[in-house]
Amino acid sequence: MAAYFDVEYSLIALSVPLYLAASTVVQILIGPMSDTLGRRPVIMVSMILFLLTTLGCIFTTNITVFLVLRMAQSFIAMSMVLSRAAIRDMYEGPKAASMIGYVTMGMTIVPMLGPMLGGYIDDIYGWQANFWLLFAVGLVIAIIFWIDFGETARVSGKTLLEQFREYPELLTSPRFWGYSLAAGLTSGSFFAYLGGAPYVGVNVYDLTSSELGINFAAPAVGYFIGNFLSGRYSERFGINAMITWGSIINLGGVGLSLLISIMGLDTAYSFFGFMCFVGLGNGMTISNGTAGAINLRPHLAGTAAGLFSAVMVGASAVMSAAAGWMVGPNMGAAPLLAIMCLSAIGGCVAILAVLRREKHLQAVI
């Protein structure tokens, strides 16, 4: 894509963090909208906008227009966020975390197959073909949604302005911030990987597009397992325990990979192999962090889901942008892994703050 638009890699790499930054803004707005208007109409609009902007990405030849359209594609984030809010509409507490885990486990099929399929499509047909695939799949999903998805929310009856005024109730909650930052900084490791791993795979480990696609899917394998564990054990062990262990596993995987890289013993197999632990930790942390943040204020489920995702994606965007700028010629994988490690440490600190806050609240009671 950098060659097609005749730009530096660092510029085309902005397509990921810009998309995530735009997603952050979108998700702040959609929570109150969905609590006021319902989940179904907001999701439907997001799908239509995604289809239109995907077509724009295919046909543009200008890098500025492409980046703007990539940002506009972020409207699809409404669907991801509100699908989780819809689950919370139907389930509560650890049961909601369990169901989110199972649903997300199904969602991981796409990132497991996507990089491999995308790599082969890019080799044979070029990068635009991947956007055509996105358009086709998005169209099928929109049709299924229109036919099958019923409204799950109880409309609040408040105006949109009144709904936005509920934000301070969430913003002043230490535990909400703790859950959001625990998930955001843990996922920040993964999104830093998204921002820098393509360059590292091709320029450090000399992988082809198809080889990169196969290796790039390593975190998705762990993510699948992590979400299965969330679905299976969140009700038994509780949300906080699952987040804590997920954060530790994420940090352990990145830390070991960084150590191997500093020692000069890293290979493509070690670099991508340890990313399975990043995916595993994210699978345990994100679904439980989502449930924890949303359950704090059940009457603000949509608003909480949107704000939670905004915080999480915002942190991820920063990490992804940092990774895209840090990688470069003759630098190896260590700078990327260092950024991932710092983000993972932040995730561990955030969940420890939640545990400390809950211990304080229990002592007061």
Side-chain angles (χ1 to χ4, degrees), residues 30-43:
I30 61 170
M33 290 174 60
S34 72
D35 283 337
T36 300
L37 304 174
R39 315 292 186 226
R40 180 179 166 85
V42 177
I43 294 177

Side-chain angles (χ1 to χ4, degrees), residues 37-54:
L37 304 174
R39 315 292 186 226
R40 180 179 166 85
V42 177
I43 294 177
M44 193 69 243
V45 169
S46 78
M47 291 185 175
I48 293 171
L49 291 173
F50 174 76
L51 293 173
L52 293 175
T53 53
T54 300

